[in-house]
Every structure is written in structure tokens, then in C-alpha cells.
Amino acid sequence: MTSPDLRLLAPAVAVWVVAAVALHLPPPVVLTAAAAAVLAATALARRGSAAVVVGVLVCSAAGGLAAASRVHARTTGVVHDAAAARAAVTVDGVVLDDPRVLAPRPGGGALVVRDVVVVRLRVESLTTAGRAYRVRAPVLVLTSDRAWLRLLPSQPVRAEGLLRAAEPGGDVAAVLSPRGQVRSIGPPSRVQRVAATVRQGLRRAVARLPPAERGLLPGLVVGDVSALPPSLQDDFRTVGLTHLTAVSGTNCAIVLGAVLLLCGWLGVPLRARPAIALLALGGFVVLARPSPSVLRAAVMGTVALLALTTGRSRSTLPALSAAVIVLVLVSPDLAMTAGFALSVLATAGIVILAPGWRDLWSRRMPAGLAGALAIPAAAQVACGPVVVALSSQLGLLSVPANLLAVPVVAPATVLGLAAALIAPVSDTAATGLAWVAWLPTTWLVHVAEIGAKMPGAALPWRGGAAGAVLLVLATGAGAVVVRAPRVRRLCAAGTAGVLTAVAVLWLVAPSWPPPGWFLVACDVGQGDGLVLNAGPHAGVVIDTGPDPRAMDRCLRRLHVDRVPLVVLTHLHADHVEGLPGVLRGRRVGQIQLGPLDEPVVERARVTRWAAAAHVEIVDAVVGEERTAGVARWQVLAPDYAHRGTNSDPNNSSLVFRLTAAGGQTVLLTGDVEKEAQQALLDLGVPLRADVLKVPHHGSSHQLPEFLRAVRPSITLTSVGDGNPFGHPARSTLGELMREGARSYRTDRDGDIALIDAAGRLRAAASRGSGAVAASRLDSRLERIPGTILTARASSLSRLPVNWCEPAAGSTVGR
């Protein structure tokens, strides 16, 4: 095997590193350094010094100049000055990429309660304070107006709003917050209109596929993940298949390979094939949108295909290095993007490592299998340090998952692309192709879902630069071990022993959920999300937390795919924003609400989600009783909406009294505060309970008299780790401890299950202290009563999905 040509490697690394650093330095400093580099290169060239050294200096200067010019354009001029003054402006610009929606996500204890539409706009005209200016600057638009979603790339628009400064080091000059309606002042280009028609045709073609495949296939073909379930995105990330859900070098290589193969079948002359393949790649880039990331993927895919088809790593490494130099000089911002780093490193692994590994492994296995193993292994080794630096976890299933995915990625992509191209002509034919593509696509879904559930799919690892260096050292040590036969055998024996021990521990460890569970408080962050056992694979959900993904993961851990009822105690975001995670991919019967339709924004969102899922919304009625599985519950309050209190939504929370089959009682209180707690005391409703779901995440807004009236033996506090609100309050915890209650918290214990063990109340947690482990052991020793309870619960599976059986004589809400 010939050694690779490394002459362009050092210049490529130099231009990349210098551009990344220069993006964070003042332009005068960078210009001075670039001038010094050019002078040094000139002097060395006159002396006949090594061309590589001269090339490094020249490329460093070029990378610095490109980055400095980009920084100068964004930090000076009219747009920058208007943003610094937070000026009201009117802008004319061109949409650069597809508008996208950022769904509300918890972060730092704060919640965004509206979808945010994000649009990249190239501003070409700006009017402020009565004066108009001709400019050319990228601006980021952040708005809640969904009318922006109808815009296409290349479409000229006019908008009014406030400019504000962008984050330092970002790739835009300012951020625009629009006021009023966006106006289209011209059509998008003909090419973009055709591309939009094809993309829309693909969406129509997959419309009747199951939800997971319906969201994944457009992602495989053109990087459209707008309909991909967040939980499936998490699974793909866990098993190292994220590159399949975005336009990557893999997509581009598949398109090129398919076109070249077709040319061979049709007998196209060899000289014409490269031109046809590049033309097809250009069309694919337009279809997937020619953003910097897609253009980067096209270049890397071409290089990777060249390496795999020719096997000439000596010639493909210079091609990769030249591609890096050109891409960074054209778009210096790529130097700071993780996607660019991962793409380059993956391609480098395929170019440098994969051919040698393929040849070596083919001595002991079929050549096809050796090649299929070598590609993901080489990419994983090359990308591993960056991945752990970003995610603080080490994926152990990336290579096997990619190996299982390899045979079906190309068929799914080609069939999906064919469906997209034929849809404008025949929806029927496109739908047929989409159903054919369903088979390989569902295989990918199962690989991701099953792999993500396996123990050790992703191990915690130190993040940042330290974690990256640690993984490099570990990989180097592994390479040394592989080369020493005696050490290799010793390590193999030790690894086999460790794996055997892990397998035994996994088999004997307590299962989750524990047998006999009747209620689980999910770890959903700073919010409430509870699940009541409603029979095999069924659960009643009481609040959904702030994050759809966290709520969906909890339900999946409980193996719940039928939800007869969702109860939203009140409409604050930390109790309702996880609703899409419940609705997605599950049969849901009804959504039950309390008496207060505030906040109005959240009520509108819940209504929209319910309508999209064809789920009925009903009102809770005080005194109403229902049963589900092994438990029954009664609505205690409120029969009116609180007004003029410290927090009307909190105090208007629905309050339930739950009774398990063994007679254990649980008081579910939503976020009621002092005013509502006093109202409950005044009503004289039965508050005594074995378990208290602590109101309002354990905040200080509690009445000691209320807590004493409940006198629980166990308390459940749904609270986010490190939340900025100080929940739970020390005063609340102190009062509960004085009552002798044992405290469980989702921030420390994870998911918390209440168990009916032959009439005895037990609690178990998915993580936590030794007391929690003891509770898990108790639950294992009570398997027979748990089996009896499960048998009783199975009768619910015969009920219609949209109904929880009302108790005799009860009043059922609308």
C-alpha cells in the first residue's frame, strides 16, 4: 500500500485553524499577522525553502484575510450601527434558506412558550430614521409569525422591525425582530420553485406512511426533518446515525453512485459520465437547498466516492485537503461549525484508514463485509473526539448500527428521490414508490429504536477538549494493544470477563417499571409529568412536563402506547408543552382540562395539537370519578377559576385523590398555592393521603396546615436539576420532614414509581440512593402480587381506547 500524499495536509490544517481563530480577533490584528506571514513566505520562497512551509504561510495568510474581511463586514457599517442602537428599520432582503421552527425547549430553567420561526435573510436595502441605504449583510430573523414559513429561498421580501446586535463571533450581522406582516416583493427563482414543487411532492407521497417513516424518509432524501419525531431524532443521535437525517456526504455519494451506475447500464460513454454525474449532483444540491452545509456535503461526498471507487488514498487525500482550503476561503464561518469538522474528519477517516483496514480485514472475512465494517469504523474513530467533546457521551453502538444501516440507506434514498421526482407527474406512482421505500426506512427506524434502548448504548464521557484528548489517548492505547499479540489476548480475555459480568448484572437487575407499579412520576425536568397504570401498554397521563422528548422517553420506558386520557391540571408551559410527545405515535382518547383557559397562548397550542391528532378536549367536573387499570380517582377541586391570587393558573390546578387497588391513597395537587390550599381546607374535602405529590414543585408557597392535613408517608416532588427558582424550598422540605415523610425527587431519583406490593406501599426510583435500591429490591421480592395486579389490569385492554371507565353513578365531563 502506497503512503498518502501529505503535501496539502498542512496548508489545509493551517487555513482551517487560522480562520477559526481570526473570527474571534480584531481585523487589524489579523491583517498585521497576515502581512507578516506573506513577507515570511516571500523570503523563504526566494531562498528555495520547502514548498510545504511556504504553502502553510500563504494559506494561513489567506485564511486570516478571509475571516478578517467577514468579521469587518459584520462589525461595521449601517446594519451594525442600527443593531447597536436597537433601531426601528425597514429592510428589503432575500431569503437564504428554508425557514424553520424552533419548538419551545426548557433551558436554564426558562421556557419559551411559543414556537420561534427562524429565517436567514440577506439584507440588500435598509431604511431607518427616514434615510435609505444600500447594504449587503446576513441577518437572522426571529419571529412567532408563521407566515414566514411560506417563503422560499431566493424570494425577495420586505419587513419592518427592530434590529439588535447578534452574538459575538456569530455568522450574521444582526438579529431582526419583525413587527407586522412580512411582504413578498417578488417571486423566488424558477429553480427554487421547481425544487419546492418536488419537495412538496415527496411530502404528499409519504403522507400515508406511519409517523416514524413519514418523518424519516424526507430526512434521508433531502434533509427535511420537519416531521421527524423528536424521540426518533434522539434515538438516531444515541446510536450514531444522525448523519442520515441531514444532507451529508453520504447522500451526495449515493446520488453520484446511482447516476454513474445508471450511466453504465445505459452505455453512456466514459468521458461523458463525470459531467452527467456532476450535473445530477448540482440538481440534488438545489433540491436539498444550496446552503453552506449542503455544498460542503456535496464536496465531501464527491471526495469520499472518489476514494471508495478508486482506492487511491494517495490522490484523494490531496483532493480532500484542497476541498478544505477552498471551502474555508469561500465561507470562513465553516471553520467554527461542528458539522464541517465532523464531515471533514469522517471523509478523512474513509480516505486514509478505510482502504487499509478493508484490505487487512478481508484476509479473515469476505471482502464485502470487510469494506462495510471498515467505512463506519474509520469514520467513528476519526469523528469520536469531536463527538465526545460536543455531547459528553461515548456511543458504543455507532459501528454496529451503521453496519446494519448500510445495506438499506442507498435503496431508501434512491427510492425516496425517485418518488420526489415522479410526484409532480403522478401522485399514485410516487405513493407506490414511497411504500416500497417504507421497507428499508422502517428497518432504519427499528435499528435506531432498539439500539437506543440497549444498555450502554451511550456511556457518559468527559466533554470539551479534555474529553477529546482523553479519547485520542485511549484510541492510541488501543492501537498499541492491537499490535501486540500477547497483550491483545490478555485484554480480550479481560474484556470478555467484563462483558459477561455486565450481562449477568443486567439480567438480574430490577426491571423498569417495577412489577406492581400503579403511578410513576417522570423525570421531565422543571415540570410535572405523571403516568397512571391503565393496563398492559396503557397509561393515563397527568400533566406532560415542559419537553416532548422527555415525556415521550418516560412513556417508552413504561412501554405505554395507548393513552385513554390526558389530564392537564393547568395550562402553564411546564405542565403542557410535553403534550406533543404524548400524542406522537400513540392512540390518545381524550384531553381533560380545568376551569381556567389561561394562559391563552398555551390554551391555543393545546387546542391546535389536539385538533391535529383528532383528540377530543373535555372539561373536568368536581366530584367526577373514574377508574383505570388498578386504580380509581376523584376530582376534588376546583369548581371555579381562581381570580386575583398570587398565580391564578397555579391556584386553578385540578386536584385529584387517587386510590390504588390495595387502598393506598395519593393526593395529586398540580401547582396549587396558599389560596387554593386554604380553599381546600375550608371545603373540608378528604386530604389525608399516604402519598403527596408536593404542590408547585415544592415552592415556598405552601400552607403548613395543608401539609399537616395530608400527613403523607411519602412525598413526590417533580423538580428540575439546578433550576433557578430554588425549588424545592427548604421551608417546605423541613415541614414535610417534621411530618415524618420520606422524600423522593425527580432531580435526584429520576423516574419514581409507586408500587402496590400485596397491599403494602413501596416506592422505587430509576436512580438514586441506597434507600432507593432497597425499595427496588423490595419490589422484586413482591413479584407474585405484582403479577396478580397485572392480571387485574389486563381487563382494561378490552375497553375502547378513548374511554376510562367511569365509576358507577359518577358524572362524566363534557
Side-chain angles (χ1 to χ4, degrees):
M1 179 179 174
T2 59
S3 58
D5 186 347
L6 302 177
R7 287 174 295 178
L8 278 181
L9 180 61
V13 173
V15 73
W16 189 353
V17 172
V18 170
V21 173
L23 288 171
H24 297 84
L25 294 177
V29 174
V30 178
L31 292 175
T32 302
V38 171
L39 291 175
T42 304
L44 290 174
R46 289 177 177 176
R47 295 179 183 179
S49 299
V52 173
V53 177
V54 176
V56 167
L57 291 172
V58 171
C59 287
S60 297
L65 290 173
S69 64
R70 189 64 59 91
V71 172
H72 177 76
R74 292 174 186 160
T75 57
T76 59
V78 175
V79 174
H80 175 267
D81 295 343
R86 299 183 68 88
V89 299
T90 299
V91 299
D92 290 353
V94 176
V95 178
L96 296 177
D97 203 353
D98 278 307
R100 56 194 177 93
V101 176
L102 291 182
R105 293 295 306 274
L111 287 171
V112 180
V113 299
R114 299 188 182 187
D115 290 336
V116 177
V117 179
V118 181
V119 188
R120 290 181 61 86
L121 195 69
R122 185 179 68 241
V123 174
E124 299 180 342
S125 172
L126 182 145
T127 301
T128 182
R131 298 185 61 183
Y133 302 88
R134 299 295 299 175
V135 296
R136 188 179 178 85
V139 167
L140 190 68
V141 178
L142 299 179
T143 177
S144 59
D145 184 3
R146 301 181 73 86
W148 287 81
L149 293 174
R150 296 192 293 268
L151 302 176
L152 294 176
S154 77
Q155 187 165 358
V157 297
R158 176 171 297 158
E160 299 177 358
L162 294 177
L163 273 186
R164 56 184 175 88
E167 291 291 332
D171 59 353
V172 295
V175 176
L176 175 67
S177 299
R179 300 290 186 269
Q181 294 289 323
V182 61
R183 286 172 286 172
S184 173
I185 56 177
S189 67
R190 183 183 298 275
V191 171
Q192 290 294 349
R193 292 200 300 272
V194 172
T197 301
V198 174
R199 289 167 69 98
Q200 186 59 38
L202 178 59
R203 295 191 190 101
R204 292 196 309 272
V206 303
R208 295 188 178 182
L209 299 185
E213 291 79 2
R214 182 170 65 239
L216 178 59
L217 188 55
L220 289 172
V221 178
V222 293
D224 181 3
V225 295
S226 57
L228 187 64
S231 58
L232 188 58
Q233 289 182 342
D234 287 344
D235 291 344
F236 270 75
R237 186 178 301 111
T238 299
V239 299
L241 295 177
T242 309
H243 61 94
L244 298 180
T245 62
V247 176
S248 64
T250 301
N251 303 74
C252 299
I254 289 172
V255 170
L256 287 172
V259 171
L260 291 174
L261 185 62
L262 182 62
C263 287
W265 285 346
L266 297 177
V268 175
L270 289 176
R271 291 184 179 181
R273 293 180 188 180
I276 295 174
L278 290 178
L279 184 63
L281 181 61
F284 176 74
V285 167
V286 172
L287 180 63
R289 306 303 195 207
S291 62
S293 61
V294 174
L295 294 174
R296 174 254 302 165
V299 174
M300 296 303 160
T302 304
V303 173
L305 184 66
L306 179 65
L308 293 175
T309 54
T310 65
R312 300 175 182 175
S313 59
R314 181 170 178 80
S315 60
T316 51
L317 185 58
L320 173 61
S321 301
V324 170
I325 294 172
V326 173
L327 287 171
V328 172
L329 291 180
V330 172
S331 181
D333 296 310
L334 287 175
M336 287 299 297
T337 61
F340 180 70
L342 292 172
S343 184
V344 172
L345 291 173
T347 307
I350 294 172
V351 167
I352 299 173
L353 301 176
W357 290 0
R358 177 189 60 198
D359 296 340
L360 179 64
W361 295 346
S362 61
R363 300 173 187 172
R364 299 189 177 184
M365 62 181 70
L369 179 60
L373 275 172
I375 292 172
Q380 175 69 10
V381 168
C383 295
V386 176
V387 172
V388 299
L390 296 172
S391 65
S392 300
Q393 66 179 24
L394 179 63
L396 301 183
L397 296 181
S398 180
V399 172
N402 277 275
L403 181 62
L404 291 171
V406 162
V408 300
V409 172
T413 303
V414 172
L415 286 168
L417 185 58
L421 294 174
I422 203 172
V425 179
S426 172
D427 281 338
T428 302
T431 301
L433 285 171
W435 274 108
V436 177
W438 168 84
L439 186 60
T441 306
T442 197
W443 171 261
L444 292 174
V445 170
H446 282 83
V447 167
E449 290 182 341
I450 295 173
K453 294 177 182 177
M454 295 184 67
L459 297 180
W461 191 273
R462 181 163 185 162
V469 172
L470 182 62
L471 184 59
V472 169
L473 294 177
T475 304
V480 172
V481 167
V482 168
R483 290 179 176 272
R486 183 174 299 178
V487 178
R488 183 170 66 242
R489 287 193 293 270
L490 182 62
C491 290
T495 302
V498 170
L499 291 176
T500 302
V502 169
V504 171
L505 290 174
W506 179 55
L507 290 173
V508 302
S511 60
W512 191 263
W517 74 277
F518 65 89
L519 183 72
V520 166
C522 300
D523 179 13
V524 293
Q526 181 64 17
D528 276 10
L530 299 100
V531 182
L532 172 64
N533 189 344
H537 303 290
V540 171
V541 175
I542 303 170
D543 286 329
T544 62
D547 184 356
R549 300 184 184 192
M551 194 66 221
D552 178 64
R553 286 194 294 265
C554 181
L555 290 171
R556 290 171 63 183
R557 289 191 292 269
L558 298 174
H559 313 297
V560 170
D561 54 29
R562 294 188 302 113
V563 181
L565 182 68
V566 177
V567 178
L568 301 178
T569 60
H570 64 294
L571 294 174
H572 272 161
D574 58 338
H575 290 248
V576 305
E577 282 294 332
L579 181 58
V582 179
L583 297 173
R584 191 176 294 115
R586 294 183 178 86
R587 290 180 293 160
V588 178
Q590 293 179 332
I591 297 173
Q592 190 176 61
L593 303 180
L596 185 64
D597 288 340
E598 296 177 5
V600 175
V601 170
E602 289 297 338
R603 175 55 198 255
R605 290 166 64 80
V606 169
T607 301
R608 186 170 74 245
W609 291 328
H614 307 289
V615 178
E616 178 188 14
I617 295 179
V618 300
D619 296 328
V621 176
V622 172
E624 171 186 352
E625 294 187 14
R626 294 195 182 199
T627 62
V630 297
R632 69 181 187 276
W633 70 93
Q634 180 183 25
V635 181
L636 299 182
D639 55 3
Y640 62 92
H642 286 260
R643 299 287 184 182
T645 64
N646 180 62
S647 172
D648 291 342
N650 282 348
N651 283 304
S652 298
S653 294
L654 293 171
V655 178
F656 298 89
R657 180 181 177 83
L658 171 70
T659 305
Q664 304 91 345
T665 54
V666 183
L667 190 65
L668 303 174
T669 58
D671 278 359
V672 293
E673 298 182 356
K674 292 180 178 180
E675 296 91 338
Q677 292 173 15
Q678 185 62 56
L680 287 167
L681 290 170
D682 294 342
L683 286 173
V685 297
L687 297 178
R688 175 72 180 92
D690 299 309
V691 181
L692 171 66
K693 201 293 295 182
V694 181
H696 198 196
H697 322 293
S699 75
S700 60
H701 299 288
Q702 315 286 339
L703 285 178
E705 298 87 349
F706 176 80
L707 301 179
R708 288 195 291 269
V710 181
R711 287 184 293 125
S713 59
I714 292 176
T715 62
L716 305 178
T717 306
S718 294
V719 64
D721 185 27
N723 71 85
F725 311 110
H727 295 164
R730 291 185 179 181
S731 59
T732 300
L733 293 178
E735 184 64 36
L736 293 169
M737 289 178 63
R738 281 191 290 273
E739 294 299 321
R742 184 164 59 171
S743 173
Y744 290 87
R745 297 166 45 174
T746 56
D747 60 335
R748 296 180 179 178
D749 300 322
D751 296 346
I752 305 162
L754 297 180
I755 304 163
D756 180 356
R760 300 176 61 190
L761 178 64
R762 292 285 185 266
S766 58
R767 67 173 187 269
S769 63
V772 173
S775 296
R776 283 182 169 182
L777 181 60
D778 288 342
S779 70
R780 285 199 341 213
L781 297 177
E782 301 291 348
R783 289 184 183 272
I784 294 178
T787 304
I788 295 172
L789 294 179
T790 302
R792 290 180 184 175
S794 65
S795 61
L796 187 73
S797 63
R798 297 191 295 269
L799 297 177
V801 70
N802 64 342
W803 192 247
C804 285
E805 185 71 24
S810 67
T811 303
V812 181
R814 291 184 286 113

